[in-house]
Amino acid sequence: MQVVSITMLFRDKVYKIWWALLALTPLFVNVVEYLMGILPLKDWWYWIVESIVFTTICLALTRWCKISKRISYFYAIASLGIVELVSLAITRSFSPVSIAAATLGLFVIAIFEDQRFYSEKKNEQKIKLLEKESERDYLTGLLNYRALSQEINRLANNNEIHNIVIGALDIDHFKKINDTYGHFVGNEVLKLKYFSTVFREQIHSAFPKHGYVYRFGGEEFTIVVSNHSLEEVYQLLQSIEKFFNNKSIVTKEGMKLIISFSCSLTDRLNDELLDTTLKRADKMLYSVKNNGRGWIVTDQHHQRPQKPSLERKINNNY
């Protein structure tokens, strides 16, 4: 009967009732055996000692952080067998059945439970892998909109986050790339070694554990940076813009393309819903796209930089 309580105690969710059952089970069993005439009443003190000893052992094993629950459970079952054998020796109740139950029976239970632990661990790993894959865009490897929603909820409930910058970003004239060179070339521009990789590496390097890039859909991306200023993010994006402006992308077919992007950056206001911040960034991006593209607008930088039009540079490559 104690095996049930032990098994439940070494699962992920532990309820106090199992501790109570673990402590009371030896007393209950011994009382039943006394009423059946199997045990004498004079050994009542040992029933209490047996309960206290084994409950203490299980308590120590559940709090032993250096070993896994799987190993702790095996130790608990082994301890139960030892305590039971000592009890049989003290009460002189040895019999083939009682010895087999305290040794072979518990060993078989431990083997089956070990297999259960193993199966549950494998299933947890598969679930985590599927969850991870469901949060990634298959083409670019970036986090997707589902992951963005989860990150926004996490940041909104984190008291350690004191500032959040959200950016909406769009590759300029991406439809023209697809129409002129085909979708395979467009995919090359988006995926590894090109646009997505450069952005991911630059953002993660500049803002480790605080900066992430998401593919919002199509050629649209979202940047979320926490605990850093809008100016820091703006300066980084300026450097990335110069990188793309000065470096041609060479496709597998040998074609050279120069791409640019339009971007808007905004700070989350105090007590503002992050969805509201995201929508404002998206609205600001449309103002950029409607005024020539190829530049970055922020809450502090509203005017287009005085420099040669990136749009003309892009069009010169078609």
Side-chain angles (χ1 to χ4, degrees), residues 4-6 8-9 13-23:
V4 176
S5 301
I6 297 169
M8 298 308 299
L9 285 174
K13 294 183 178 179
V14 179
Y15 299 98
K16 293 180 180 180
I17 187 174
W18 296 114
W19 284 109
L21 290 175
L22 180 69

Side-chain angles (χ1 to χ4, degrees), residues 26-43:
L27 297 174
F28 174 77
V29 172
N30 288 324
V31 168
V32 170
E33 290 183 346
Y34 162 71
L35 295 175
M36 295 175 63
I38 300 174
L39 293 177
L41 187 59
K42 63 183 181 65
D43 293 328

Side-chain angles (χ1 to χ4, degrees), residues 230 234 264-266 280 284 287-288 291 295-305:
L230 186 146
Y234 176 77
S264 63
L265 294 173
T266 185
R280 183 170 63 256
M284 290 168 60
S287 70
V288 177
N291 287 277
W295 57 294
I296 304 166
V297 65
T298 76
D299 293 331
Q300 288 82 35
H301 303 81
H302 295 286
Q303 295 183 348
R304 185 175 183 178

Side-chain angles (χ1 to χ4, degrees), residues 8-170:
M8 298 308 299
L9 285 174
F10 288 91
R11 289 178 178 267
D12 291 332
K13 294 183 178 179
V14 179
Y15 299 98
K16 293 180 180 180
I17 187 174
W18 296 114
W19 284 109
L21 290 175
L22 180 69
L24 295 175
T25 296
L27 297 174
F28 174 77
V29 172
N30 288 324
V31 168
V32 170
E33 290 183 346
Y34 162 71
L35 295 175
M36 295 175 63
I38 300 174
L39 293 177
L41 187 59
K42 63 183 181 65
D43 293 328
W44 65 269
W45 62 273
Y46 184 71
W47 306 344
I48 298 176
V49 172
E50 180 183 358
S51 176
I52 294 174
V53 168
F54 189 66
T55 301
T56 302
I57 291 173
C58 287
L59 182 63
L61 288 172
T62 55
R63 297 192 176 186
W64 191 0
C65 299
K66 293 183 179 180
I67 59 175
S68 65
K69 288 186 177 181
R70 187 177 177 183
I71 300 300
S72 296
Y73 177 81
F74 185 83
Y75 285 166
I77 292 295
S79 300
L80 177 61
I82 293 171
V83 170
E84 186 62 26
L85 288 174
V86 172
S87 176
L88 292 173
I90 292 176
T91 59
R92 295 184 179 85
S93 303
F94 280 121
S95 70
V97 174
S98 60
I99 294 175
T103 55
L104 183 60
L106 291 178
F107 177 77
V108 171
I109 291 172
I111 294 298
F112 277 105
E113 188 63 15
D114 182 73
Q115 289 300 310
R116 184 193 66 80
F117 269 107
Y118 177 77
S119 297
E120 287 187 354
K121 192 68 175 178
K122 294 291 289 184
N123 289 336
E124 287 176 4
Q125 292 174 349
K126 289 180 180 178
I127 292 172
K128 288 180 180 179
L129 180 61
L130 290 173
E131 288 177 346
K132 185 176 180 180
E133 290 177 349
S134 70
E135 294 176 358
R136 291 282 174 182
D137 174 61
Y138 76 97
L139 179 62
T140 63
L142 295 176
L143 295 166
N144 58 22
Y145 182 77
R146 180 172 184 264
L148 172 62
S149 299
Q150 293 178 349
E151 177 67 5
I152 285 177
N153 290 331
R154 185 186 70 81
L155 291 174
N157 296 308
N158 190 340
N159 294 328
E160 296 180 359
I161 301 299
H162 55 74
N163 185 58
I164 301 172
V165 177
I166 288 185
L169 186 147
D170 191 292

Side-chain angles (χ1 to χ4, degrees), residues 186-200:
N187 287 345
E188 280 192 68
V189 172
L190 281 174
K191 62 183 180 180
L192 300 179
K193 297 184 180 178
Y194 296 116
F195 191 83
S196 300
T197 298
V198 170
F199 256 93
R200 179 175 56 217

